[in-house]
Amino acid sequence: MPVQKSMEAFNLQYTYPHCPEPKEITDMDPATNTVEDLMLRICHQEGIENSKAVCLYTIEGMPLTDDPFFNTWSLKDRHIQNGGKLYVMFTPKENLKQAPRTPQREVNDIIGEDNVRCHIMLKGDFEVKVDLASDTLRDLRQKLSDESGIPAHVLHYKSERGGVGQTLLDCGINEESTVSFSLSSFPDEHPDTKEFYLNDVVPSVQQSQKGLSAFFSSLYAVVRYSNIYYTVLLLSF
């Protein structure tokens, strides 16, 4: 069937550093065009070279393009409103996070007679058929993926109970439970701080050693002053 576009008028405004005045985009369909489409459109409109990419933020500063999975959502699903204003940063492509390779899909033929309600961040509730006595969290995640259409590797469940191989009952999950899942393209891991902050981005503007030294010295002074102030405040009580 031919693709039918919405007849509703839709426009966006965006700005970026040193932009003389807000730019406008008027011919996108919020129901079918994705955030990736918007990123490509801005690059084309601004004549950005292939080595550069776009990072989008709300006008309040909330990042919109940090996770490649959410970039595949429509403008409507990402709650980018008609008449909305966005802030754009242009950066080398290597600074953008790359989605990890999609793992091979696992198959679980056990349908189960128990119902478990799952809540997916920004997507709502889903009823999933499981066997509480034999299915594991991994099985639940795959079945939820089948039910919701969301790839299993971006579904993340946080709990203090349960581990690899334990059943849903062992994890304290029953038919009265609501199991919450967050969405992210990346594993729920906390990298080593030194490794994470060491040369993790390539600056768009070349920095001199003198400039970097002045910046970090000022930052260290501000942080140290904050610690001293907080300590004095505690002692005063």
Side-chain angles (χ1 to χ4, degrees):
M1 294 180 62
V3 176
Q4 295 182 354
K5 284 203 169 187
S6 170
M7 299 302 293
E8 180 184 358
F10 185 83
N11 69 83
L12 290 171
Q13 287 187 338
Y14 67 90
T15 186
Y16 49 83
H18 307 299
C19 180
E21 59 183 16
K23 304 292 185 74
E24 195 170 44
I25 293 178
T26 58
D27 57 350
M28 300 196 80
D29 182 357
T32 58
N33 286 129
T34 65
V35 176
E36 284 180 344
D37 294 334
L38 177 59
M39 295 164 71
L40 290 173
R41 172 63 188 276
I42 292 174
C43 281
H44 176 74
Q45 189 160 297
E46 296 297 328
I48 301 300
E49 58 192 66
N50 290 334
S51 61
K52 297 278 185 154
V54 167
C55 297
L56 299 180
Y57 302 83
T58 65
I59 206 67
E60 293 82 15
M62 184 184 77
L64 292 172
T65 52
D66 273 4
D67 192 323
F69 172 69
F70 289 111
N71 295 344
T72 64
W73 287 23
S74 71
L75 303 181
K76 181 178 180 180
D77 288 340
R78 287 298 275 137
H79 303 289
I80 298 177
Q81 306 289 340
N82 180 28
K85 297 180 180 179
L86 301 176
Y87 193 77
V88 176
M89 293 291 289
F90 300 106
T91 186
K93 280 187 175 179
E94 55 266 29
N95 285 349
L96 296 186
K97 296 179 181 178
Q98 300 298 318
R101 183 177 174 181
T102 304
Q104 186 175 359
R105 183 183 180 280
E106 299 174 10
V107 179
N108 185 334
D109 295 329
I110 303 175
I111 297 177
E113 297 296 328
D114 305 311
N115 289 316
V116 170
R117 175 178 295 158
C118 298
H119 178 81
I120 302 178
M121 174 182 111
L122 303 177
K123 284 296 186 180
D125 295 338
F126 297 85
E127 294 285 340
V128 181
K129 285 279 189 184
V130 297
D131 187 329
L132 291 169
S134 63
D135 280 344
T136 64
L137 286 172
R138 180 176 294 178
D139 297 324
L140 176 61
R141 185 175 68 169
Q142 185 58 61
K143 290 182 177 183
L144 178 59
S145 173
D146 295 338
E147 184 70 26
S148 64
I150 296 174
H153 73 284
V154 302
L155 293 167
H156 297 280
Y157 169 66
K158 290 185 177 181
S159 174
E160 296 179 357
R161 297 183 60 182
V164 177
Q166 289 190 306
T167 67
L168 298 178
L169 282 178
D170 292 335
C171 299
I173 296 173
N174 55 51
E175 288 193 285
E176 297 179 357
S177 302
T178 297
V179 187
S180 297
F181 286 82
S182 60
L183 294 172
S184 174
S185 295
F186 307 99
D188 188 18
E189 297 176 353
H190 300 283
D192 179 75
T193 303
K194 292 183 179 179
E195 180 182 351
F196 182 76
Y197 288 107
L198 181 63
N199 297 326
D200 58 336
V201 295
V202 178
S204 300
V205 179
Q206 186 62 39
Q207 307 295 311
S208 67
Q209 292 298 321
K210 183 177 180 181
L212 287 173
S213 176
F215 171 74
F216 285 118
S217 297
S218 302
L219 183 62
Y220 176 77
V222 171
V223 173
R224 187 165 180 80
Y225 172 80
S226 299
N227 288 337
I228 294 173
Y229 177 77
Y230 182 67
T231 303
V232 171
L233 189 64
L234 286 178
L235 291 175
S236 65
F237 285 97

